[in-house]
Amino acid sequence: MREQSVSLLQQLEKNFEEARPSYNYAEAMDESNRCLYCYDAPCIKACPTGIDIPSFIKKIASGNLKGSAQKIMEANPVGASCARVCPTEELCEGACVLNHSTKPIMIGDLQRYATDWAIKNEELLFKAGKSNGKKVAIIGSGPAGLASARELARLGYQVTIFEAQKEAGGLDTYGIVPFRLPKSVSLWEVQQVEDLGVEIRTDVTVGKDISSEKLVKEYDAVIVAAGMAKVPMLGIPGEDLEGAYDAIDLVEKTKTNQYPENFVGKRVAVIGAGNTAIDGATSSVRLGAEEVKIVYRRTANEMTAYDFEYEFAKQEGVQFKWLTSPKRLIGDENGRIKQMECVQMELGPAAPDGRRSCKEIEGSSFMMDVDIVVKAIGQERHHQLLEELGLVNDQGVVTINQETYQTSEPNVFAAGDVIFGKGQGEAMVVSAAQQGKETAYSIHQYLTSSVTESV
Ligand SMILES: Cc1cc2nc3c(=O)[nH]c(=O)nc-3n(C[C@H](O)[C@H](O)[C@H](O)COP(=O)(O)OP(=O)(O)OC[C@H]3O[C@@H](n4cnc5c(N)ncnc54)[C@H](O)[C@@H]3O)c2cc1C
Ligand code: SF4
């Protein structure tokens, strides 16, 4: 029995290893030499962090891998993670001029080649600036918090990050599946920031272990980079049955080698069709589920997952059940899920935000046989924290001055997923990183000039 469990664990560990291999030397040389090193390169404009792409590619071609990694990480403090998780075909690679003739330069793969070199060689790429005597507190150590911390440290600020989790890195460390983004890559980016003298106090939840009032009082500026919270409840009967999972918790288990062993041979329904649903579904496949279905109330046209994620899920054998909404989970005599009652939906006209409404088709109820239900219908907001800080917000989306990232409290700024939503921004690692950088420059401006304006 024990032997069986050990070999299952080994199999699961293998299933969650990084799926795509890095380029080898010859592949990196071939690909980097294909680049036209365009003047006024459109790929740079398409990168939210403005990485000088032709320049980092040229450095690879000339064998200067440290210089290449520096170019990438200079513009994007989480450039090693982004090499793996950015929707490149919608960003830099989508803009590459070679789309018109052959195929775009594989910018993400080259970015990974250069940053992997820096990781392997344990290179410290940047230095802290001369101390200016000012202190900034950051709530959250995800891409937004890390990017602002790094830039502030380079400008000479004493930076302390408060992080609720045991390890830093936010969703890069805990939320994006390990076979796309290993935790070690994210932790290397964290180390790069810590090596600049930034203090990261992990296992400290602001609002519980330390008050937000204290931070506002003791620091010259505070950045709220707390991201979003857990997956909300579906609000249907049976959610407390055994076999119901929150997709973010599930991925977190796979990132921390605590693989649930009860997925083997099971039928899994994943509710939702965004990033989180795809990660929940592909994780379920790798946990050994026999059948994984994504159940979504709209269609493929309305799903928020990226195209590359959709394709990846299909390749992994995930099935999609469109225009279907769950109504009730039904348990067996031991309190374990055995069925899910669903209804058929139909699409209605587009709402003002362009998204089509949908409604139930009367009398369309039917049963699905399932053993496990993974909930992945978005993320909740940090209402309590925002309330404690007294920040103006729209249902948990922090209101900011779009240019300065300043909130309704003059010395409190916000970046990343806390400002995403209500038609504002995109929930992507690369946008959180760019917002983090811009917030750092804005705080520098705020603390070094006397005239300031809040929202
Ligand atoms: C499952 C999943 C898959 C995704 N896949 C992709 C992808 O492939 N590509 C992509 O670009 N984006 C992806 N995203 C989105 C991306 O991860 C986020 O947009 C990005 O991480 C946001 O960065 P952030 O720094 O704002 O927040 P986060 O990364 O969420 O970091 C916030 C940090 O704040 C901490 N925190 C929260 N409250 C407190 C508190 N009170 N006190 C102290 N610390 C606190 C949290 O513990 C967390 O570490 C995915 C998201 C999910 C959920
Ligand atoms: S657009 Fe394509 S070919 Fe031109 S510099 Fe960028 S990656 Fe190279």
Side-chain angles (χ1 to χ4, degrees), residues 81-102:
S81 290
C82 280
R84 292 159 163 92
V85 304
C86 264
T88 46
E89 66 285 1
E90 289 173 32
L91 300 171
C92 54
E93 289 169 16
C96 175
V97 293
L98 290 174
N99 278 297
H100 305 299
S101 48
T102 55

Side-chain angles (χ1 to χ4, degrees), residues 296 298-304 310 322:
Y296 182 46
R298 293 185 172 84
T299 72
N301 295 332
E302 290 80 32
M303 70 191 279
T304 54
Y310 181 32
W322 307 118

Side-chain angles (χ1 to χ4, degrees), residues 25-83:
Y25 174 77
E27 286 166 331
M29 283 305 124
D30 285 352
E31 194 61 9
S32 54
N33 279 304
R34 262 191 346 109
C35 179
L36 305 176
Y37 310 123
C38 304
Y39 174 73
D40 209 13
C43 55
I44 303 180
K45 292 198 187 95
C47 172
T49 57
I51 297 177
D52 186 344
I53 291 166
S55 170
F56 97 68
I57 294 180
K58 198 165 206 162
K59 286 184 168 30
I60 293 179
S62 63
N64 178 6
L65 289 177
K66 179 167 181 180
S68 179
Q70 250 161 348
K71 259 285 162 232
I72 296 161
M73 299 295 291
E74 166 84 42
N76 184 345
V78 290
S81 290
C82 280

